């Protein structure tokens, strides 16, 4: 009897993990050219933007797109 309960709990826990993995937001890969489409300059190594202003502008544009769709 206890094995059945343990197996059910294990199956349910695995389903929760799989659902969480499916919903996760994957980070975008680093871009060589600034992701701010209006800039086009080279990105700083390890980032996707050439400067903080371009990153901030791109975030504002992305945020505005989200709010305009709701």
């Amino acid at each position: 009897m206890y094995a059945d309960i343990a197996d059910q709990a294990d199956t349910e826990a695995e389903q929760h993990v799989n659902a969480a993995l499916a919903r996760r937001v994957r980070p975008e890969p680093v871009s060589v050219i600034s992701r701010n489409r209006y800039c086009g300059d080279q990105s700083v190594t390890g980032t996707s933007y050439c400067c903080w202003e371009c990153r901030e502008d791109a975030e504002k544009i992305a945020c505005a797109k989200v709010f305009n769709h709701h």
Side-chain angles (χ1 to χ4, degrees):
M1 176 170 177
Y2 293 112
D4 292 338
I5 294 171
D7 289 340
Q8 287 175 346
D10 186 46
T11 302
E12 186 176 336
E14 187 175 339
Q15 290 172 346
H16 286 288
V17 168
N18 290 337
L21 287 173
R23 287 190 311 266
R24 76 174 181 222
V25 177
R26 292 181 177 90
E28 293 184 16
V30 175
S31 175
V32 178
I33 298 175
S34 182
R35 288 195 189 274
N36 183 348
R37 64 181 176 184
Y38 303 111
C39 178
D41 289 343
Q42 291 284 83
S43 297
V44 175
T45 304
T47 69
S48 293
Y49 299 98
C50 61
C51 61
W52 67 270
E53 290 98 347
C54 280
R55 180 188 53 79
E56 191 175 74
D57 289 346
E59 288 175 353
K60 287 178 183 177
I61 291 168
C63 185
K65 287 180 182 177
V66 169
F67 285 117
N68 287 334
H69 285 107
H70 288 3

